[in-house]
Amino acid sequence: MEFSRRISALRPSAIREILKAPTDPETVSLAAGNPSPEAFPAAEMAVIAAEIFANDAAGALQYGISEGYGPLRERTRERVRVKHGIGRAGDDLIITSGAQQAVELAAKALLNEGDTVICEDPSFIGSLNALRSYGVKLVGVPCGGAGMDLDGLERAFREHPEAKMVYTIPTFQNPTGEVMPLAARKRLLELAAKYDAAVLEDDPYRELRYDGEDVPAIKSMDTEGRVIYAGSFSKIVAPGIRLGFALAPAPLIAKMTAAKQVSDVHSNLFFQILVERYMARHDLDAHIARCRDLYRTRRDVMDAALKRHMPGVRWRVPEGGLFLWIELPGGIDGTDFCRRAKERKVMAVPGSAFLTDEGGFSGAARLNFSLPSPEQIETGVSRLGETYLEMTSP
Amino acid sequence: MEFSRRISALRPSAIREILKAPTDPETVSLAAGNPSPEAFPAAEMAVIAAEIFANDAAGALQYGISEGYGPLRERTRERVRVKHGIGRAGDDLIITSGAQQAVELAAKALLNEGDTVICEDPSFIGSLNALRSYGVKLVGVPCGGAGMDLDGLERAFREHPEAKMVYTIPTFQNPTGEVMPLAARKRLLELAAKYDAAVLEDDPYRELRYDGEDVPAIKSMDTEGRVIYAGSFSKIVAPGIRLGFALAPAPLIAKMTAAKQVSDVHSNLFFQILVERYMARHDLDAHIARCRDLYRTRRDVMDAALKRHMPGVRWRVPEGGLFLWIELPGGIDGTDFCRRAKERKVMAVPGSAFLTDEGGFSGAARLNFSLPSPEQIETGVSRLGETYLEMTSP
């Protein structure tokens, strides 16, 4: 069989080999993007699930509508409006199978083959591949410590005034952990307006802030209906249930709903009902506060371990999210570093995995601190330190 | 915002207006495609769900892999191999979010914009729209009482030798309920080989047979690795959980897995585990036998009601599936018929909804007998009879 051009463009990368499940049970993985199972409200969910089976199974197991379970849509919309100032008259919300699907549906509804999308470089590989899967041309703008560099964005627009979209993770960016400051967000929106581009704001980590002050979402400043906001229940409830959402101007949500209908008809209805009842009955913010405490501790353990084991390596302590981004000195290849680290029984993701240029060089690696225990973090980072020492010893 | 060409091609149709939820609670719907909630094994599922929450929540609520939960993939593969003779060395299986996603992923992985796909005419609107959403050109071949007319398929191939795929629902076709005989299946496969086209066999109703003998799946005769087989748990377990599968040559499944990864990462893992345990612990075939009894009765009630209330209208009693297809005499417009029927508090789907030519004429309508109760079927068909009488009275 001959495959489509768009899917042929999704090449399996050398990185996959590094990320394959380790055969050695002693291996510590800092390569995941997973929340901790300790952060799942499983006991509360179990009670609600039993109730749904007892009283509402006929509806919860039946076909639903593509835009999502009405009460969950309303509750989610209300939550982001009150907490984050997101959503105006003219906006609508669709429940998606994770924020991943929000990105994919937005791409499908807005982009033609050959269109240009500007994004951070590095950025989340799942979204880059979703865009690539529609034959889109990616133009990367470096992150300079505070998210996408806005001078770089302006240059990118000048070189590609035809760009249809800016894809950004402004808050606790994946993989760098960086936060785009308020002024930069405003400037991004101005530039998008000037060049008449849509903005896809991917914001799954917003609620996982460990220090500092919230920075308003770009969508909260969107008076023109230019921004598509993608959110997720994966990091605040659980990822295996595959629930997220997109909030955008109603005509676009209608198109994304048509695209969702032909993709999976609707997201798992049982868990849509379950999450709505969880939010109605329990204090989601109190639950998130517990998740923050859990992850803050792990982030601090990782920071301390890096200080002990990896002198000479650079990193910023992220104020939130799941990832810490280390930059290796002296031209060390991040891919080579991660390959050797795996031999020493610790896994990390090489920075090159996140580049818009799939063959590009990166001297960085992404470390996850949410899934491993503090002990595993200590062990893992000490092994990374040994790898680093090996590579830098004369 | 400007929408993509592919999504702009998905036009909302006049039929949507007819199918909108009725405001009148007295309205009987024969317009659904839903199984009956009485056919959901909810009590057994509730027990398993409680066990998963008690013992395995950390894994079941966590991220899974895109190809699906290993034990469910294996059990599904084994089941279709033993029961239907489907799957050979070189084939692989992916768990999808319903058979709808199997169709969409196959389209995404195999078809470029402008490619030609030959399909039955009428056919399932969800699949036709999935194909349209990738800018595919549809060439319809009429159903002649025994599924796709094979002489028509040969003509279609002669006129479109470049066709990349044949999309077919050979067993209890949606909407016609027709079954393609064995000889026609063989000939379809020969024609596909001659013109080097893939075959997408959509088979969600296979297990819901009420009379007659099983006809082997096209996939069971596929020695060349040309057929993609799409199956579903929606009609034998429950649709709201959104689980189905595709079985196809491993290189294609790998591409579909890459496409799924960027679409929804994976299907709801909790219910993948639940369905696997249900299949391991309970007799799925005994459950399906009960569903068959339930639906056979309703089909017979509908047949008897049609005989009483709609003389002059033609239909074949389907040997399985969820639908009965009525053909109105004397050039009556099915869309007009369904619009008037809704005013008389009964809903059916006009045949034009299923045409490859979206503006085409159809003097037919699709009736569903799985969801309404026998009493509702009787009431609904008697109202259809009144509508028909009104339209044929001088």
Side-chain angles (χ1 to χ4, degrees), chain B residues 207-230:
Chain B
E207 310 234 38
L208 298 180
R209 175 174 278 282
Y210 317 128
D211 316 304
E213 292 294 319
D214 278 346
V215 183
I218 300 171
K219 180 66 182 165
S220 72
M221 302 175 270
D222 175 31
T223 53
E224 295 184 309
R226 182 175 297 289
V227 182
I228 304 119
Y229 183 84

Side-chain angles (χ1 to χ4, degrees), chain A residues 4 61 63 108-109 133 235 240, chain B residues 4 6 61 108-109 133 235 240:
Chain A
S4 64
L61 298 173
Y63 280 118
K108 188 166 184 179
S133 81
K235 278 79 190 183
Chain B
S4 64
R6 73 177 81 79
L61 298 174
K108 188 167 184 179
S133 81
K235 278 80 188 182

Side-chain angles (χ1 to χ4, degrees), chain B residues 335-348:
Chain B
T335 307
D336 190 24
F337 174 75
C338 290
R339 191 175 290 119
R340 289 174 189 235
K342 194 175 180 187
E343 284 164 22
R344 289 187 179 267
K345 302 182 185 174
V346 56
M347 287 166 70

